[in-house]
Amino acid sequence: MFRNQYDTDVTTWSPAGRLFQVEYAMEAVKQGSAAIGLRSKTHVVLACVNKANSELSSHQKKIFKVDDHIGVAIAGLTADGRVLSRYMRSECINYSFTYESPLPVGRLVVQLADKAQVCTQRSWKRPYGVGLLVAGLDESGAHLYYNCPSGNYFEYQAFAIGSRSQAAKTYLERRFGTFQNSSREDLIKDALFAIRETLQGEKLKSSICTVTVLGVGEPFHILDQETVQGLINAFEMAGEEAPAADQGAAGEEGAAGEVVAAAEEGAAPEEGAATEEGAAPMDI
Amino acid sequence: MQLMDSSHSNPMSLCSQADSQRTLYPYVTGTSVIGVKYKDGILMAADMGGSYGSTLRYKSVERMKPIGKHSLLGASGEISDFQEILHYLDELILYDNMWDDGNSLGPKEVHSYLTRVMYNRRNKFNPLWNSLVLGGVKNGQKYLGTVSMIGVHFEDNHVATGFGNHLARPILRDEWHEDLSFEDGVKLLEKCMRVLLYRDRSAVNKLQIAKITEEGVTISQPYSLKTFWGFSAFQNPTVGAEGSW
């Protein structure tokens, strides 16, 4: 894990063609608390885990509204994240002022990526130690992007970053096929399930997570704690296990969902994916 | 703000304050532009005259130009300033295209950009001496707006600049209606242009009509309007005032 000789400077290559400082910056992202994002054709949901340092302190803000049609969730050095959010807000508002139109997300993301790249090619700078999940809406629909400290950016249907994000990613990988046509409510529910996966046994409460929604006709906003707790209670009372088909009104998942659920229930016990209700599939 | 005569008299002067310059008056000017919304998009008309004061000096000036994929710009006022604006817009559209990402600036964005440019110049007491008409269609939405040299901007179903405000808009207020056909729109514009030809001394009888729809821009070949001068009052004009001419 420690590659000392070539890692002092971001402008020093290793013989294997790597920039260790950039890779270390990406480690910082992996150490931050989890943030996840998922999108349908018309909506994007961002959610994150908010862990306070101690009982005495408040938790750090990890999701920022950038404009009515763009929001961002961060993982890693929150100070860097705050600075980049401020840059994004500035870009959006300047564009809106000049063109009386919202800045297309795709362009903001490229600008952000180019900004990050600069820090990988100046000896007097360091890379930003934060990964950003950018949720946005433009003429071509809903988008979710991930911006890396390396200056790369990718578009995703769903993604998770930060610590224990692999558990969430696994959940999202199983389910992402349904997201494109998901309803707003199902998307939020999937986000909460994904967040629960990262908690590894801890109880999911609205006080330790933040959920935000953005959609067609719905500006980016944070769901208040009551609403979130209500949603959590609803699916926990129904005893729903994350991968199972939603019994409620989820008509669009229909047969496909049930087939997937059946297959998953077979697989779940073997995976031993650490969820608090690991035993539940057997009951159903 | 100081009035300037020649700015290049002493570029190496020790006192580094540059006298500020300001636009005083336009030199080569175009007259009215009229724009209306119609069923499929926007129709715009402008004559091809470039006046040098009271001389009708240039008679083939194209005062309407397409901008990007979705917009059409018509200008009255100083022609060189119009050319400067086209240069700015050229650069704007170029950078927009270089993103190569499926997004493109629509007429609303171009109109807003022009407003910012015009207003900023006005604040520096160095305006671009133009009145602009910006029309376009994007994603089925029709847009027609105008910006003046001091940055006054608004959108409407029909707009006009210069003399067109006084002579054409009253006609448009009476006779414009939603969903004009192309033929009716052209007839309406020609009616306005004819009045302007009779009554605006800077008008020349060589005009173009431009249309912009979802498909794109078409600017007609130049043509002339028929005029009628056979009024009886023009026969023997000096009857009743013998000796005058």
Side-chain angles (χ1 to χ4, degrees), chain B residues 155-168:
Chain B
E155 296 170 58
D156 207 342
N157 291 321
H158 47 81
V159 295
T161 67
F163 262 83
N165 273 307
H166 302 107
L167 297 173

Side-chain angles (χ1 to χ4, degrees), chain A residues 100-179:
Chain A
E100 277 198 45
S101 231
L103 174 59
V105 208
R107 295 193 180 185
L108 178 61
V109 159
V110 173
Q111 285 173 254
L112 199 53
D114 289 347
K115 194 170 161 70
Q117 191 280 340
V118 168
C119 299
T120 67
Q121 215 176 2
R122 307 279 185 270
S123 60
W124 63 91
K125 286 183 179 256
R126 64 158 178 82
Y128 287 105
V130 65
L132 301 114
L133 280 172
V134 183
L137 203 65
D138 68 21
E139 280 178 0
S140 49
H143 298 274
L144 175 69
Y145 293 93
Y146 170 55
N147 276 73
C148 207
S150 60
N152 284 324
Y153 69 97
F154 309 92
E155 186 164 6
Y156 286 97
Q157 185 80 46
F159 200 50
I161 56 177
S163 67
R164 281 173 279 176
S165 58
Q166 188 50 53
K169 260 188 272 193
T170 312
Y171 171 79
L172 294 169
E173 271 166 34
R174 282 203 297 259
R175 302 265 302 157
F176 81 95
T178 65
F179 292 163

